[in-house]
Amino acid sequence: MAKSIGISFAVGRRETVPRTMEIMRKASELGFTEAWSGVGLDNLDLVKDIAKLANELGYYYFVDINPKVLSDLGVSPSDLSFFRKVGIKGVRADWGFNLEQLATMANNDLGIKVELNASVFPLDELDKLLRLVKKPENLMASHDWYPWEYTGLSLEDALAKSKEFHTRGIPVGIFISVKDGERTTVESLRHMDIENSASILLNSRYIDRVLIGDPLPSDEDLRKVANAKRRTRIRVIVYDGLTEEEAKVFNREFHDVRIKEKTIGLTAASENNIKPRNIVRRFKGAVTVVNNNPQYIQVWIFKDDAPPNPRFNVIGEVYPEDMVIVEHLAERTKSILSVPIGDEPPVVLEPYKSA
């Protein structure tokens, strides 16, 4: 499934609408294609304004619903035409619907997507629901976000839940927060740089859509998430003595990425003259280059310890915060950019010595 990125809005105050619309336009230019918000009688006029611009910009705009919201809006599961008229393209069934109601909504002829709550939907009922749904193309899924610290899902749990939907052809969305923000699905990503959060999830096997949960993100946050969609950045602490030929591995995109049991291999066709150097024991996080291979640049990142090998120069190590990206990277990732920390000149440390 193609990966997509999105934004979220708080639509409770009229004074935030100008900035919201400015963000929508900026995000669209950067490749964002999804937008989410709540909906209700008290903010319906704002939702209509957002929906109009969302449609002009080509967004998939979806909103949270529950039985009370539908009742307040005079909508029933068997007739979602109200949302079509407003310009809303999807409804997220947050809570309160049984399988029959979910199936009825998903079987609509309007092209309205129905999003299951991936965080809490009972997975033992997923196949039961699918047997009731005649239009599975209308089904999507998206996780909750958790505003209070320590209440979010673990990364492993979020991926395990997502797998059940993704492997059945249901695209899965998830929320990330700006650094130290509130609207995040995965607790361990709450205080992480948003580019890393997006990279981890976009390059996992089972997440298809990543949305910034916090409203009014900065332009820099938008750019970071857009960058993560284009390629994954793995920061490297570079050891002293890096040669000009070895430095060719930095600031280039690798399209051939192979996931092995204990390593990740990145290969690019390029002339080089990498000679044997710093042949030492490899370790978890070690960044190595293959020497005496003049037609290809090959980088191997290690996920476990390994003895010295004369073909591998150890040139640095993955920045600790980025190891989670390495551990969750998917096979044949479209592109990876390996760069020094913060895009600044390499940090120089003494080489790792074998015991």
Side-chain angles (χ1 to χ4, degrees):
M1 299 180 189
K3 305 286 185 177
S4 63
I5 51 178
I7 47 182
S8 304
F9 308 120
V11 288
R13 296 181 298 168
R14 168 62 66 178
E15 60 267 26
T16 65
V17 171
R19 175 57 181 158
T20 293
M21 293 189 169
E22 179 185 342
I23 290 171
M24 290 176 69
R25 293 187 178 94
K26 177 68 174 180
S28 177
E29 293 172 358
L30 292 171
F32 286 73
T33 57
E34 297 198 13
W36 170 90
S37 79
V39 64
L41 284 178
D42 57 341
N43 64 14
L44 189 55
D45 59 332
L46 304 183
V47 168
K48 288 179 179 178
D49 290 344
I50 289 174
K52 180 180 178 182
L53 181 58
N55 279 275
E56 291 174 3
L57 296 173
Y59 280 98
Y60 163 63
Y61 177 38
F62 66 109
V63 297
D64 252 22
I65 63 167
N66 55 54
K68 184 179 185 304
V69 167
L70 291 192
S71 176
D72 289 346
L73 297 176
V75 177
S76 70
S78 61
D79 184 4
L80 302 179
S81 58
F82 170 86
F83 297 106
R84 176 71 176 271
K85 292 173 185 176
V86 171
I88 292 168
K89 296 181 179 179
V91 292
R92 182 176 178 275
D94 190 21
W95 55 266
F97 298 104
N98 60 38
L99 294 186
E100 289 71 22
Q101 290 170 322
L102 290 171
T104 296
M105 289 191 286
N107 287 330
N108 75 84
D109 294 320
L110 305 169
I112 299 291
K113 304 295 185 183
V114 176
E115 303 237 2
L116 306 175
N117 187 328
S119 294
V120 300
F121 186 88
L123 298 177
D124 59 350
E125 294 191 352
L126 186 52
D127 288 328
K128 296 178 187 177
L129 174 62
L130 289 175
R131 286 193 289 269
L132 297 173
V133 174
K134 300 175 183 177
K135 296 191 174 184
E137 67 275 12
N138 283 345
L139 272 184
M140 300 178 75
S142 50
H143 282 276
D144 277 331
W145 46 262
Y146 301 91
W148 303 305
E149 194 165 13
Y150 307 118
T151 63
L153 301 180
S154 70
L155 179 58
E156 290 70 22
D157 192 29
L159 293 178
K161 290 176 183 290
S162 300
K163 178 181 179 181
E164 298 301 318
F165 297 93
H166 175 90
T167 55
R168 289 169 171 81
I170 301 172
V172 183
I174 198 165
F175 291 93
I176 57 173
S177 65
V178 300
K179 188 172 184 178
D180 302 324
E182 295 184 342
R183 294 185 174 188
T184 187
T185 299
V186 176
E187 186 63 35
S188 63
L189 305 184
R190 188 184 300 275
H191 301 300
M192 188 176 290
D193 182 86
I194 198 169
E195 184 171 344
N196 274 22
S197 298
S199 294
I200 291 164
L201 296 170
L202 285 167
N203 289 294
S204 68
R205 294 168 178 80
Y206 309 119
I207 300 296
D208 308 291
R209 308 147 54 213
V210 170
L211 293 94
I212 302 176
D214 295 298
L216 307 180
S218 68
D219 289 353
E220 179 64 16
D221 288 325
L222 293 175
R223 283 193 293 271
K224 285 183 175 182
V225 175
N227 284 340
K229 182 177 183 293
R230 285 193 292 269
R231 48 75 174 155
T232 298
R233 183 176 69 134
I234 299 176
R235 296 174 294 176
V236 176
I237 299 171
V238 180
Y239 291 158
D240 192 15
L242 185 76
T243 69
E244 182 177 342
E245 291 297 304
E246 291 170 338
K248 291 179 179 180
V249 306
F250 295 109
N251 301 311
R252 71 161 57 238
E253 290 186 344
F254 289 90
H255 294 262
D256 186 355
V257 179
R258 307 298 175 96
I259 309 301
K260 307 297 183 180
E261 180 182 1
K262 296 185 177 182
T263 54
I264 292 176
L266 298 79
T267 301
S270 177
E271 292 184 4
N272 69 80
N273 189 34
I274 297 175
K275 300 299 183 185
R277 183 187 71 85
N278 201 35
I279 310 299
V280 296
R281 183 168 67 88
R282 293 151 296 170
F283 54 95
K284 183 177 181 179
V287 178
T288 70
V289 294
V290 176
N291 56 57
N292 291 325
N293 191 15
Q295 295 182 332
Y296 293 93
I297 290 178
Q298 285 190 302
V299 177
W300 289 91
I301 300 175
F302 280 73
K303 296 186 283 186
D304 204 347
D305 289 353
N309 185 302
R311 291 302 305 276
F312 290 83
N313 298 2
V314 179
I315 65 169
E317 60 190 75
V318 174
Y319 187 59
E321 188 177 281
D322 291 7
M323 273 305 297
V324 68
I325 299 176
V326 172
E327 291 163 356
H328 290 91
L329 204 61
E331 177 78 9
R332 294 184 181 276
T333 302
K334 183 178 180 181
S335 61
I336 290 184
L337 180 66
S338 179
V339 299
I341 292 177
D343 296 328
E344 298 295 332
V347 174
V348 177
L349 298 180
E350 288 299 317
Y352 180 94
K353 300 297 184 182
S354 59

